[in-house]
Every structure is written in C-alpha cells, then in structure tokens.
Amino acid sequence: MPAFTIVTTSATQDSDAAEVNTLTDDFGSETEALGYSRRMADEMLGLAAQLSLDFDYSNVALYDGDLLEEDLDPDHPALIGVWVLDEEGCSYVPAAEFRESLAEPEA
C-alpha cells in the first residue's frame, strides 16, 4: 500500500498563529488518500462552524509518500493538491494551480 502524508493547517482570522498537524498513513490508492483528506477538511469546517470561527489561511494538503520527518511546504515536489477552506466550504486545488495562486500578487 502506498504511503501518503496529510498536513492540516488551521488559522483563524485576527490571529497570527496557525496550528499545523502532520499525519502519515498507508492508503490503497491516491484516490483513497484524497477522499480521506477531503473528510478531514469537512471535519475542520464542521468544527469551525460549531465554534463560530472564521478561517483565514486554513487548508489540508496531500503529499505522495511518507514524509513525516520532512519540512513540507507547497514547493515540495511530492505535493499532490490542497483542500482550501473558507466560509463557502472546501475546494480542491491541484498542486500546480495552488503554487500559481501563491505566486500571484494580491490586488
């Protein structure tokens, strides 16, 4: 079974701090890992709604491989994609598109 690493980052508006958690596990396929990461994103949104939190730059990133001991960021070549969380829900952004959005200057 292939290993995948899921990194959750949650930050609320009006806060400079972010909580980052990393999980590495074996999944049957990339599709299974993607579905699991989606459920994690949905759970984060549900928790935020219960606590009346407004997310700022929260996301759930999926990486290919057991990368628990590595420093992971969007430039890491193993990034598959990111579930971006906001007030409208979560949306999946493939790695290349996510990197492009980070490179674009904000208006």
Side-chain angles (χ1 to χ4, degrees):
M1 296 182 93
F4 292 89
T5 301
I6 299 172
V7 179
T8 59
T9 304
S10 58
T12 55
Q13 291 181 359
D14 302 322
S15 172
D16 293 333
E19 182 176 328
V20 178
N21 293 294
T22 305
L23 162 76
T24 295
D25 207 343
D26 293 332
F27 293 92
S29 66
E30 182 177 321
T31 302
E32 184 182 334
L34 190 60
Y36 186 85
S37 63
R38 167 64 190 262
R39 287 191 298 278
M40 291 181 74
D42 286 339
E43 287 179 15
M44 288 175 65
L45 285 172
L47 182 60
Q50 289 177 357
L51 299 174
S52 300
L53 297 176
D54 291 323
F55 280 138
D56 195 355
Y57 50 93
S58 300
N59 60 59
V60 178
L62 180 63
Y63 294 84
D64 186 2
D66 182 347
L67 307 172
L68 196 58
E69 301 298 322
E70 294 190 35
D71 289 330
L72 297 172
D73 61 40
D75 290 328
H76 196 285
L79 180 67
I80 295 171
V82 178
W83 292 99
V84 178
L85 286 62
D86 61 24
E87 57 276 348
E88 296 175 11
C90 63
S91 58
Y92 182 74
V93 181
E97 188 178 325
F98 187 74
R99 289 179 185 117
E100 285 176 19
S101 71
L102 293 177
E104 294 173 358
E106 291 187 29

XYZ file of all heavy atoms in Angstrom:
813
model
N 0.849 -1.182 0.000
C 0.000 0.000 0.000
C 0.891 1.241 0.000
O 1.843 1.300 0.778
C -0.903 0.004 1.220
C -1.900 -1.136 1.266
S -2.982 -1.050 2.692
C -4.341 -0.157 1.990
N 0.571 2.213 -0.828
C 1.396 3.428 -0.867
C 1.137 4.330 0.337
O 0.032 4.373 0.871
C 0.973 4.101 -2.168
C -0.385 3.546 -2.466
C -0.439 2.179 -1.865
N 2.159 5.020 0.749
C 2.044 5.947 1.873
C 1.783 7.359 1.348
O 2.293 7.749 0.301
C 3.321 5.938 2.699
N 0.982 8.101 2.101
C 0.696 9.496 1.799
C 0.784 10.291 3.086
O 0.570 9.751 4.178
C -0.702 9.652 1.187
C -0.820 9.053 -0.186
C -1.172 7.724 -0.352
C -0.554 9.804 -1.319
C -1.263 7.155 -1.603
C -0.646 9.249 -2.585
C -1.001 7.928 -2.722
N 1.106 11.560 2.973
C 1.193 12.447 4.130
C 0.164 13.547 3.982
O 0.045 14.157 2.922
C 2.612 13.051 4.238
O 3.553 11.987 4.371
C 2.726 13.981 5.430
N -0.588 13.772 5.043
C -1.617 14.807 5.067
C -1.212 15.850 6.095
O -0.905 15.516 7.242
C -2.991 14.206 5.422
C -3.397 13.173 4.366
C -4.036 15.299 5.541
C -4.641 12.377 4.721
N -1.181 17.102 5.669
C -0.818 18.204 6.555
C -2.014 19.134 6.681
O -2.491 19.681 5.684
C 0.403 18.983 6.019
C 0.739 20.138 6.949
C 1.601 18.068 5.860
N -2.500 19.298 7.910
C -3.603 20.233 8.142
C -3.046 21.510 8.756
O -2.241 21.461 9.682
C -4.674 19.628 9.074
O -4.072 19.290 10.315
C -5.294 18.395 8.468
N -3.482 22.621 8.221
C -3.088 23.934 8.738
C -4.357 24.702 9.032
O -5.194 24.885 8.146
C -2.256 24.710 7.702
O -1.130 23.925 7.332
C -1.787 26.039 8.261
N -4.524 25.124 10.280
C -5.704 25.907 10.614
C -5.291 27.209 11.284
O -4.487 27.222 12.204
C -6.667 25.116 11.505
O -6.023 24.707 12.683
N -5.828 28.275 10.749
C -5.580 29.610 11.291
C -6.891 30.379 11.242
O -7.649 30.258 10.283
C -4.521 30.323 10.466
N -7.148 31.128 12.274
C -8.377 31.909 12.309
C -8.075 33.374 12.029
O -6.952 33.839 12.236
C -9.080 31.786 13.673
O -8.172 32.156 14.696
C -9.546 30.370 13.909
N -9.090 34.068 11.558
C -8.916 35.479 11.267
C -8.565 36.231 12.548
O -8.950 35.831 13.643
C -10.184 36.054 10.637
C -10.401 35.509 9.247
C -11.642 36.069 8.572
O -12.360 36.857 9.145
N -11.869 35.649 7.347
N -7.813 37.299 12.389
C -7.346 38.137 13.501
C -6.359 37.415 14.413
O -6.212 37.764 15.579
C -8.526 38.681 14.323
C -9.486 39.486 13.479
O -9.023 40.220 12.579
O -10.704 39.391 13.710
N -5.688 36.398 13.881
C -4.678 35.686 14.657
C -3.434 35.501 13.797
O -3.530 35.203 12.607
C -5.202 34.314 15.094
O -4.169 33.567 15.690
N -2.279 35.685 14.408
C -1.024 35.468 13.692
C -0.537 34.030 13.815
O 0.424 33.640 13.168
C 0.067 36.402 14.238
C -0.230 37.850 13.922
O -0.915 38.103 12.910
O 0.218 38.725 14.684
N -1.207 33.245 14.647
C -0.768 31.872 14.896
C -1.537 30.884 14.032
O -2.685 31.121 13.662
C -0.979 31.531 16.366
N -0.893 29.783 13.708
C -1.533 28.697 12.965
C -1.153 27.379 13.615
O -0.052 27.222 14.123
C -1.098 28.709 11.513
N -2.087 26.447 13.602
C -1.814 25.111 14.124
C -1.585 24.184 12.938
O -2.387 24.153 12.001
C -2.987 24.611 14.955
C -2.746 23.242 15.556
C -3.873 22.784 16.462
O -4.513 23.639 17.105
O -4.095 21.567 16.517
N -0.484 23.449 12.966
C -0.132 22.546 11.868
C 0.001 21.133 12.432
O 0.696 20.919 13.424
C 1.187 22.975 11.193
C 1.556 22.002 10.080
C 1.095 24.400 10.669
N -0.687 20.189 11.793
C -0.611 18.785 12.188
C -0.261 17.944 10.967
O -0.752 18.216 9.868
C -1.950 18.310 12.758
C -2.272 18.999 14.064
O -1.586 18.804 15.052
N -3.301 19.825 14.069
N 0.569 16.937 11.174
C 1.000 16.075 10.086
C 0.667 14.624 10.410
O 0.906 14.162 11.521
C 2.521 16.216 9.846
O 2.828 17.587 9.630
C 2.970 15.412 8.653
N 0.091 13.932 9.428
C -0.296 12.534 9.569
C 0.238 11.776 8.358
O 0.043 12.210 7.222
C -1.822 12.419 9.613
C -2.430 11.051 9.329
C -2.257 10.151 10.541
C -3.900 11.189 8.979
N 0.911 10.667 8.593
C 1.348 9.790 7.503
C 0.688 8.441 7.695
O 0.668 7.902 8.800
C 2.881 9.639 7.499
O 3.468 10.901 7.207
C 3.325 8.644 6.457
N 0.109 7.920 6.607
C -0.567 6.635 6.692
C -0.512 5.952 5.326
O -0.233 6.590 4.314
C -2.021 6.823 7.116
C -2.584 5.611 7.831
O -1.985 4.514 7.735
O -3.631 5.747 8.482
N -0.772 4.654 5.331
C -0.851 3.887 4.085
C -2.298 3.870 3.608
O -3.214 3.661 4.408
C -0.379 2.449 4.305
C 1.101 2.360 4.614
O 1.842 3.248 4.168
O 1.506 1.401 5.300
N -2.475 4.107 2.324
C -3.798 4.061 1.719
C -3.748 3.120 0.524
O -2.687 2.881 -0.050
C -4.223 5.467 1.267
C -4.446 6.427 2.398
C -3.410 7.236 2.843
C -5.671 6.518 3.032
C -3.603 8.126 3.902
C -5.878 7.403 4.077
C -4.839 8.210 4.513
N -4.907 2.619 0.115
C -4.964 1.702 -1.009
C -4.588 2.350 -2.321
O -4.062 1.695 -3.224
N -4.848 3.659 -2.440
C -4.563 4.378 -3.675
C -4.565 5.881 -3.381
O -4.964 6.319 -2.297
C -5.623 4.067 -4.736
O -6.879 4.590 -4.319
N -4.146 6.655 -4.387
C -4.189 8.110 -4.247
C -5.626 8.589 -4.079
O -5.895 9.518 -3.323
C -3.556 8.771 -5.475
C -3.520 10.288 -5.380
C -2.824 10.924 -6.562
O -1.804 10.392 -7.035
O -3.313 11.981 -7.004
N -6.569 7.933 -4.749
C -7.975 8.309 -4.645
C -8.474 8.148 -3.210
O -9.200 9.000 -2.695
C -8.830 7.455 -5.604
O -8.338 7.635 -6.930
C -10.286 7.830 -5.549
N -8.085 7.063 -2.561
C -8.482 6.839 -1.168
C -7.876 7.912 -0.262
O -8.552 8.445 0.624
C -8.039 5.454 -0.708
C -8.492 5.100 0.689
C -8.010 3.732 1.142
O -7.764 2.846 0.284
O -7.869 3.546 2.361
N -6.622 8.253 -0.474
C -5.972 9.294 0.325
C -6.630 10.638 0.095
O -6.827 11.423 1.037
C -4.480 9.365 -0.017
N -7.010 10.919 -1.152
C -7.683 12.176 -1.477
C -9.037 12.259 -0.775
O -9.399 13.295 -0.211
C -7.849 12.292 -2.991
C -8.305 13.620 -3.543
C -7.330 14.734 -3.183
C -8.470 13.527 -5.047
N -9.775 11.153 -0.778
C -11.066 11.117 -0.083
C -10.920 11.310 1.414
O -11.711 12.022 2.046
N -9.908 10.695 1.998
C -9.665 10.836 3.433
C -9.317 12.287 3.766
O -9.813 12.846 4.745
C -8.547 9.892 3.860
C -8.322 9.851 5.360
C -9.088 9.019 6.160
C -7.368 10.655 5.964
C -8.901 8.976 7.533
C -7.174 10.625 7.330
C -7.941 9.791 8.117
O -7.757 9.763 9.473
N -8.466 12.907 2.942
C -8.096 14.302 3.205
C -9.312 15.215 3.055
O -9.445 16.196 3.774
C -6.938 14.754 2.304
O -7.300 14.723 0.936
N -10.217 14.878 2.138
C -11.455 15.661 1.974
C -12.305 15.572 3.239
O -12.858 16.558 3.714
C -12.228 15.158 0.757
C -13.675 15.671 0.645
C -13.723 17.185 0.463
N -15.037 17.744 0.574
C -15.821 18.054 -0.440
N -15.439 17.817 -1.669
N -16.989 18.590 -0.227
N -12.419 14.372 3.794
C -13.202 14.217 5.027
C -12.579 15.020 6.165
O -13.290 15.598 6.983
C -13.325 12.734 5.393
C -14.267 11.977 4.473
C -14.594 10.581 4.972
N -13.433 9.707 5.075
C -12.901 9.046 4.063
N -13.396 9.175 2.854
N -11.867 8.258 4.249
N -11.248 15.070 6.224
C -10.581 15.875 7.251
C -10.927 17.350 7.061
O -11.188 18.067 8.037
C -9.073 15.668 7.209
C -8.634 14.293 7.665
S -6.852 14.089 7.617
C -6.365 15.048 9.027
N -10.930 17.824 5.820
C -11.276 19.215 5.535
C -12.719 19.500 5.961
O -13.001 20.530 6.583
C -11.081 19.516 4.057
N -13.629 18.574 5.649
C -15.029 18.741 6.048
C -15.166 18.790 7.568
O -15.950 19.576 8.105
C -15.884 17.607 5.482
C -16.134 17.738 3.992
O -16.018 18.863 3.451
O -16.447 16.709 3.362
N -14.415 17.932 8.269
C -14.469 17.935 9.733
C -13.951 19.253 10.307
O -14.497 19.766 11.287
C -13.668 16.762 10.298
C -14.346 15.423 10.091
C -13.530 14.263 10.627
O -12.586 14.480 11.411
O -13.855 13.115 10.255
N -12.895 19.795 9.705
C -12.371 21.091 10.172
C -13.425 22.184 9.984
O -13.609 23.038 10.856
C -11.087 21.456 9.434
C -9.889 20.609 9.847
S -8.406 20.951 8.867
C -8.046 22.647 9.327
N -14.130 22.157 8.859
C -15.181 23.143 8.616
C -16.317 22.980 9.627
O -16.854 23.969 10.134
C -15.731 23.011 7.198
C -14.841 23.538 6.093
C -15.422 23.179 4.736
C -14.658 25.042 6.216
N -16.679 21.730 9.916
C -17.735 21.485 10.896
C -17.350 21.979 12.276
O -18.162 22.604 12.977
N -16.119 21.750 12.675
C -15.641 22.225 13.966
C -15.631 23.748 14.007
O -16.032 24.356 15.003
C -14.244 21.674 14.240
C -13.618 22.038 15.579
C -14.472 21.533 16.731
C -12.218 21.471 15.675
N -15.191 24.383 12.925
C -15.165 25.838 12.866
C -16.573 26.406 12.992
O -16.781 27.410 13.678
C -14.521 26.308 11.565
N -17.546 25.757 12.359
C -18.936 26.229 12.447
C -19.451 26.111 13.886
O -20.109 27.017 14.393
C -19.817 25.436 11.488
N -19.126 24.990 14.548
C -19.564 24.796 15.936
C -18.973 25.851 16.860
O -19.616 26.298 17.807
C -19.173 23.410 16.435
C -19.959 22.297 15.834
C -19.453 20.943 16.327
O -18.481 20.841 17.067
N -20.131 19.882 15.893
N -17.727 26.235 16.603
C -17.036 27.183 17.471
C -17.159 28.628 16.981
O -16.562 29.527 17.569
C -15.549 26.808 17.565
C -15.256 25.425 18.152
C -13.778 25.115 18.062
C -15.736 25.355 19.599
N -17.901 28.810 15.898
C -18.083 30.143 15.300
C -16.747 30.790 14.945
O -16.516 31.973 15.230
C -18.888 31.054 16.231
O -20.154 30.503 16.475
N -15.865 30.024 14.328
C -14.554 30.525 13.906
C -14.588 30.900 12.434
O -15.232 30.237 11.628
C -13.481 29.457 14.099
C -13.206 28.989 15.524
C -12.185 27.851 15.500
C -12.689 30.134 16.370
N -13.883 31.954 12.078
C -13.699 32.327 10.678
C -12.282 31.952 10.296
O -11.318 32.468 10.861
C -13.904 33.836 10.485
C -15.344 34.244 10.696
O -16.237 33.468 10.313
O -15.572 35.332 11.242
N -12.161 31.050 9.326
C -10.837 30.632 8.883
C -10.151 31.734 8.104
O -10.777 32.529 7.433
C -10.914 29.389 8.001
C -11.071 28.103 8.770
C -11.931 27.128 8.334
C -10.340 27.873 9.921
C -12.065 25.940 9.018
C -10.462 26.685 10.618
C -11.332 25.717 10.157
N -8.846 31.760 8.174
C -8.053 32.713 7.422
C -7.305 31.963 6.316
O -7.723 31.965 5.178
C -7.079 33.439 8.364
C -6.496 34.677 7.733
O -6.763 34.918 6.548
O -5.771 35.404 8.417
N -6.237 31.285 6.640
C -5.475 30.552 5.627
C -5.387 29.076 5.997
O -4.328 28.487 6.060
C -4.081 31.163 5.418
C -3.282 31.395 6.680
C -2.396 30.439 7.163
C -3.400 32.584 7.388
C -1.669 30.649 8.314
C -2.675 32.810 8.543
C -1.812 31.845 8.995
O -1.099 32.072 10.133
N -6.537 28.463 6.198
C -6.597 27.060 6.596
C -6.688 26.154 5.378
O -7.328 26.499 4.388
C -7.801 26.828 7.496
O -7.698 27.621 8.655
N -6.019 25.001 5.466
C -6.070 24.054 4.363
C -5.663 22.663 4.823
O -5.147 22.483 5.921
C -5.201 24.530 3.195
C -3.744 24.696 3.574
O -3.094 23.752 4.002
N -3.222 25.894 3.430
N -5.911 21.697 3.961
C -5.477 20.317 4.160
C -4.707 19.932 2.904
O -5.271 19.881 1.812
C -6.672 19.363 4.371
C -6.189 17.928 4.519
C -7.498 19.788 5.584
N -3.409 19.703 3.050
C -2.549 19.390 1.907
C -2.249 17.894 1.877
O -2.094 17.260 2.920
C -1.244 20.176 2.006
N -2.164 17.357 0.668
C -1.888 15.936 0.474
C -0.580 15.776 -0.294
O -0.387 16.385 -1.347
C -3.033 15.280 -0.308
C -2.891 13.789 -0.597
C -2.851 12.974 0.695
C -4.032 13.318 -1.487
N 0.321 14.949 0.272
C 1.635 14.690 -0.328
C 1.786 13.208 -0.601
O 1.274 12.379 0.150
C 2.760 15.127 0.619
C 2.823 16.612 0.856
C 2.019 17.219 1.808
C 3.695 17.411 0.129
C 2.079 18.590 2.041
C 3.768 18.782 0.349
C 2.953 19.358 1.303
O 3.011 20.712 1.512
N 2.523 12.870 -1.642
C 2.793 11.492 -2.007
C 4.030 11.000 -1.262
O 5.121 11.549 -1.423
C 3.031 11.412 -3.528
C 3.181 9.987 -4.026
O 3.061 9.044 -3.210
O 3.416 9.814 -5.215
N 3.858 9.996 -0.420
C 4.975 9.402 0.296
C 4.908 9.613 1.793
O 4.118 10.402 2.302
N 5.749 8.880 2.514
C 5.875 9.005 3.960
C 6.883 10.119 4.226
O 8.091 9.919 4.170
C 6.356 7.689 4.561
C 6.474 7.731 6.075
O 6.428 8.842 6.652
O 6.632 6.666 6.686
N 6.380 11.309 4.499
C 7.228 12.499 4.629
C 7.151 13.102 6.021
O 7.363 14.303 6.196
C 6.808 13.545 3.576
C 6.757 13.029 2.141
C 6.146 14.060 1.213
C 8.137 12.635 1.666
N 6.874 12.277 7.008
C 6.672 12.748 8.373
C 7.870 13.509 8.922
O 7.716 14.468 9.665
C 6.330 11.566 9.286
C 5.718 11.901 10.634
C 4.428 12.694 10.465
C 5.447 10.642 11.425
N 9.058 13.134 8.510
C 10.275 13.749 9.044
C 10.779 14.924 8.205
O 11.824 15.482 8.492
C 11.383 12.692 9.162
C 11.031 11.521 10.061
C 10.775 11.938 11.503
O 11.481 12.825 12.011
O 9.851 11.364 12.114
N 10.038 15.307 7.169
C 10.500 16.372 6.275
C 9.769 17.682 6.545
O 8.642 17.687 7.031
C 10.288 15.970 4.816
C 11.143 14.787 4.398
C 11.118 14.556 2.905
O 11.041 15.549 2.145
O 11.192 13.392 2.502
N 10.437 18.783 6.187
C 9.786 20.087 6.218
C 8.979 20.217 4.941
O 9.538 20.195 3.841
C 10.830 21.217 6.301
C 11.514 21.270 7.648
O 10.873 20.889 8.653
O 12.682 21.673 7.696
N 7.679 20.318 5.081
C 6.809 20.332 3.917
C 6.245 21.733 3.672
O 5.844 22.419 4.598
C 5.656 19.345 4.112
C 6.086 17.886 4.234
C 4.913 17.015 4.617
C 6.712 17.413 2.939
N 6.245 22.130 2.419
C 5.634 23.382 2.001
C 5.098 23.172 0.586
O 5.340 22.133 -0.025
C 6.623 24.546 2.085
C 7.833 24.360 1.196
O 7.682 23.870 0.062
O 8.944 24.720 1.627
N 4.360 24.133 0.035
C 3.765 23.942 -1.291
C 4.779 23.732 -2.416
O 4.427 23.222 -3.473
C 2.974 25.230 -1.520
C 2.688 25.736 -0.155
C 3.872 25.349 0.679
N 6.039 24.101 -2.204
C 7.048 23.894 -3.235
C 7.607 22.471 -3.248
O 8.331 22.104 -4.169
C 8.208 24.886 -3.048
C 7.790 26.304 -3.374
O 6.929 26.478 -4.258
O 8.309 27.237 -2.727
N 7.279 21.681 -2.240
C 7.793 20.318 -2.172
C 7.279 19.536 -3.378
O 6.084 19.579 -3.700
C 7.338 19.647 -0.871
C 8.102 18.420 -0.544
N 7.906 17.232 -1.210
C 9.083 18.185 0.370
C 8.710 16.313 -0.715
N 9.436 16.869 0.245
N 8.149 18.817 -4.084
C 7.738 18.113 -5.313
C 6.695 17.017 -5.083
O 6.022 16.612 -6.033
C 9.043 17.525 -5.853
C 10.002 17.552 -4.724
C 9.577 18.657 -3.808
N 6.522 16.550 -3.870
C 5.564 15.479 -3.600
C 4.138 15.992 -3.385
O 3.212 15.188 -3.250
C 6.008 14.688 -2.370
N 3.935 17.313 -3.381
C 2.592 17.856 -3.169
C 1.668 17.405 -4.295
O 1.977 17.574 -5.475
C 2.624 19.383 -3.105
C 1.263 20.057 -2.895
C 0.707 19.746 -1.509
C 1.360 21.554 -3.104
N 0.529 16.833 -3.929
C -0.469 16.400 -4.904
C -1.515 17.492 -5.085
O -1.901 17.830 -6.190
C -1.140 15.095 -4.452
C -0.101 13.965 -4.418
C -2.317 14.743 -5.351
C -0.604 12.691 -3.778
N -1.994 18.043 -3.970
C -3.017 19.071 -4.025
C -3.399 19.524 -2.634
O -2.915 18.996 -1.635
N -4.284 20.520 -2.590
C -4.655 21.149 -1.332
C -6.161 21.379 -1.306
O -6.748 21.868 -2.275
C -3.930 22.507 -1.173
C -4.341 23.200 0.116
C -2.422 22.320 -1.231
N -6.776 21.033 -0.175
C -8.162 21.418 0.086
C -8.112 22.771 0.786
O -7.608 22.871 1.902
C -8.856 20.389 0.985
C -9.064 19.071 0.329
C -8.298 17.960 0.479
C -10.084 18.722 -0.595
N -8.780 16.938 -0.303
C -9.883 17.385 -0.971
C -11.163 19.425 -1.147
C -10.723 16.730 -1.864
C -11.989 18.766 -2.045
C -11.778 17.443 -2.393
N -8.600 23.803 0.128
C -8.587 25.150 0.680
C -9.915 25.383 1.378
O -10.984 25.178 0.787
C -8.353 26.195 -0.429
C -8.383 27.595 0.145
C -7.020 25.939 -1.129
N -9.858 25.821 2.640
C -11.061 26.020 3.436
C -11.374 27.503 3.548
O -10.479 28.314 3.807
C -10.869 25.451 4.842
C -10.886 23.938 5.009
C -9.781 23.265 4.251
C -10.803 23.583 6.476
N -12.633 27.841 3.357
C -13.088 29.218 3.580
C -14.550 29.184 4.006
O -15.122 28.112 4.216
C -12.855 30.101 2.349
C -13.596 29.625 1.112
O -14.623 28.915 1.242
O -13.159 29.963 0.004
N -15.162 30.351 4.102
C -16.536 30.426 4.597
C -17.535 29.735 3.671
O -18.641 29.407 4.080
C -16.945 31.882 4.844
C -16.834 32.788 3.635
C -15.435 33.345 3.419
O -14.572 33.219 4.311
O -15.200 33.898 2.335
N -17.155 29.475 2.433
C -18.051 28.825 1.483
C -17.890 27.308 1.476
O -18.632 26.611 0.796
C -17.814 29.387 0.083
C -18.147 30.861 -0.007
C -17.793 31.458 -1.350
O -17.487 30.697 -2.288
O -17.824 32.689 -1.451
N -16.921 26.782 2.189
C -16.689 25.349 2.228
C -15.252 25.020 1.903
O -14.348 25.815 2.149
N -15.030 23.848 1.321
C -13.668 23.469 0.922
C -13.664 23.171 -0.567
O -14.622 22.645 -1.118
C -13.146 22.300 1.738
S -14.050 20.765 1.570
N -12.572 23.539 -1.193
C -12.427 23.263 -2.618
C -11.031 22.715 -2.863
O -10.054 23.145 -2.246
C -12.675 24.516 -3.456
O -11.783 25.541 -3.084
N -10.955 21.748 -3.792
C -9.690 21.097 -4.090
C -8.943 21.879 -5.168
O -9.509 22.252 -6.193
C -9.922 19.660 -4.557
C -8.642 18.929 -4.842
C -7.828 18.492 -3.805
C -8.232 18.689 -6.141
C -6.640 17.822 -4.052
C -7.048 18.009 -6.402
C -6.266 17.591 -5.350
O -5.084 16.927 -5.591
N -7.658 22.112 -4.907
C -6.807 22.811 -5.861
C -5.588 21.919 -6.126
O -4.840 21.618 -5.196
C -6.356 24.178 -5.293
C -5.495 24.915 -6.299
C -7.552 25.020 -4.870
N -5.384 21.478 -7.380
C -4.199 20.668 -7.698
C -2.912 21.444 -7.404
O -2.900 22.677 -7.391
C -4.339 20.386 -9.200
C -5.779 20.635 -9.508
C -6.237 21.679 -8.539
N -1.819 20.723 -7.193
C -0.550 21.318 -6.765
C -0.096 22.467 -7.664
O 0.250 23.541 -7.172
C 0.532 20.242 -6.695
N -0.093 22.270 -8.975
C 0.402 23.313 -9.883
C -0.427 24.585 -9.775
O 0.110 25.698 -9.711
C 0.405 22.802 -11.321
N -1.741 24.420 -9.712
C -2.632 25.582 -9.601
C -2.449 26.286 -8.251
O -2.476 27.510 -8.165
C -4.075 25.113 -9.779
C -5.091 26.221 -9.884
C -6.483 25.676 -10.114
O -6.633 24.649 -10.818
O -7.434 26.269 -9.564
N -2.254 25.500 -7.183
C -2.054 26.086 -5.863
C -0.762 26.894 -5.819
O -0.733 28.005 -5.294
C -2.036 24.984 -4.792
C -1.997 25.524 -3.392
C -3.123 26.085 -2.816
C -0.836 25.461 -2.637
C -3.097 26.583 -1.525
C -0.791 25.945 -1.338
C -1.934 26.509 -0.786
N 0.296 26.352 -6.404
C 1.567 27.081 -6.447
C 1.437 28.382 -7.239
O 1.973 29.408 -6.852
C 2.661 26.202 -7.058
C 3.089 25.066 -6.169
C 4.163 24.212 -6.816
N 4.473 23.062 -6.001
C 4.278 21.804 -6.386
N 3.809 21.531 -7.593
N 4.587 20.800 -5.591
N 0.691 28.332 -8.356
C 0.462 29.543 -9.152
C -0.266 30.610 -8.351
O 0.055 31.781 -8.429
C -0.338 29.210 -10.412
C 0.446 28.507 -11.494
C -0.417 28.128 -12.677
O -1.523 28.710 -12.840
O -0.001 27.240 -13.437
N -1.260 30.184 -7.577
C -2.024 31.154 -6.787
C -1.159 31.809 -5.723
O -1.374 32.970 -5.376
C -3.238 30.482 -6.147
O -2.854 29.608 -5.112
N -0.182 31.081 -5.201
C 0.721 31.657 -4.215
C 1.686 32.654 -4.850
O 2.124 33.610 -4.209
C 1.526 30.567 -3.497
C 0.729 29.625 -2.605
C 1.644 28.564 -2.025
C 0.021 30.379 -1.504
N 2.011 32.431 -6.108
C 2.952 33.303 -6.807
C 2.296 34.587 -7.299
O 2.988 35.586 -7.527
C 3.568 32.563 -7.993
N 0.964 34.582 -7.446
C 0.267 35.769 -7.931
C 0.250 36.843 -6.850
O -0.053 36.570 -5.696
C -1.171 35.419 -8.304
C -1.289 34.485 -9.483
C -2.716 34.018 -9.718
O -3.619 34.390 -8.951
O -2.904 33.257 -10.678
N 0.561 38.098 -7.225
C 0.474 39.177 -6.246
C -0.980 39.486 -5.914
O -1.851 39.399 -6.772
C 1.138 40.364 -6.961
C 1.030 40.037 -8.412
C 1.008 38.541 -8.522
N -1.207 39.787 -4.646
C -2.580 40.123 -4.231
C -2.908 41.534 -4.648
O -2.081 42.431 -4.595
C -2.717 39.975 -2.705
C -2.639 38.532 -2.266
C -2.944 38.384 -0.794
O -3.704 39.203 -0.244
O -2.419 37.451 -0.184
N -4.144 41.714 -5.076
C -4.582 43.039 -5.538
C -4.980 43.925 -4.399
O -5.346 43.558 -3.363
C -5.743 42.885 -6.507
